[in-house]
Amino acid sequence: MTARTLMILAGLGSAALLGGAYMFQALGYAPCQMCLWQRWPHMVAIALGVLALFFARLPVAIAGALAALTTAVIGVYHTGVERDWWEGPSSCSGGGDITGLTGADLLSTDVLDKVVMCDEVSWALFGLSMPSWNALFSFLLAAIWILAARQCLKESRP
C-alpha cells in the first residue's frame, strides 16, 4: 500500500471511532470529561487523513501517529481510573472539593441532566470499557500511521 492509502485508512479509522462515540452518545450513553478528551486527537487524525489526500508526506504521517498515540494514552489513563489503578481528575471522578459552594449552588438544577463520572464504567464488551476499546483501536491506528511514515521514507528514496 502507498503512504497516502495508509494515511487515509488511518484517518477513516479515527472517523469510525469518533462516529461510534457519537452513536453511543445518541443512544443515551453521555460522555464523561475524559471521553471528550479522547475525541480531540481523533478529530486531528481525521483532518490529517484528509490532508493526506493532497499532501501525503512524512510530517503528516508522524503527526497522525502522535494524534493516535495521544488518544490511546488517554484511553489507557481513563481505563486505569475506571479500574481504580490510579486516581482520576477530581473534576470528574469524585472527591471534588465543594468548599466555597453555597446551599443554593448545591441544590441548583442548572446542571446537565446526566452527570457522568469518569471512574464509572457506563458500557463494556468482553470486560473492556469504551475507553479500553478506544485505546486498543487507537494503538492499531498509530501502527498504521507509523507504517505510512515508513512507506513515505521508502517512496522518497531514489
Side-chain angles (χ1 to χ4, degrees):
M1 273 192 218
T2 67
R4 173 175 280 113
T5 302
L6 289 167
M7 288 185 226
I8 293 168
L9 180 65
L12 288 171
S14 280
L17 288 174
L18 191 58
Y22 283 113
M23 182 191 72
F24 272 98
Q25 188 173 342
L27 291 172
Y29 294 95
C32 71
Q33 181 181 13
M34 292 175 72
C35 291
L36 295 174
W37 294 348
Q38 291 171 77
R39 293 179 184 188
W40 288 104
H42 282 303
M43 291 178 197
V44 171
I46 293 166
L48 291 166
V50 171
L51 179 61
L53 289 168
F54 310 101
F55 186 76
R57 301 287 189 267
L58 184 61
V60 176
I62 292 170
L66 290 174
L69 286 171
T70 299
T71 191
V73 168
I74 296 169
V76 169
Y77 174 62
H78 192 175
T79 296
V81 170
E82 288 178 335
R83 294 180 182 257
D84 291 325
W85 294 341
W86 44 72
E87 288 188 27
S90 61
S91 61
C92 72
S93 57
D97 186 14
I98 61 170
T99 58
L101 294 177
T102 66
D105 292 333
L106 294 172
L107 295 174
S108 174
T109 59
D110 296 332
V111 294
L112 296 173
D113 58 347
K114 275 191 173 177
V115 176
V116 180
M117 302 304 288
C118 296
D119 56 357
E120 296 176 5
V121 176
S122 61
W123 180 90
L125 178 65
F126 306 122
L128 297 177
S129 65
M130 283 189 266
S132 302
W133 285 109
N134 177 64
L136 287 173
F137 286 121
S138 295
F139 279 124
L140 176 64
L141 292 175
I144 295 171
W145 282 108
I146 291 167
L147 286 174
R150 291 182 66 187
Q151 191 63 30
C152 282
L153 293 173
K154 286 180 185 177
E155 291 172 5
S156 66
R157 290 185 190 148

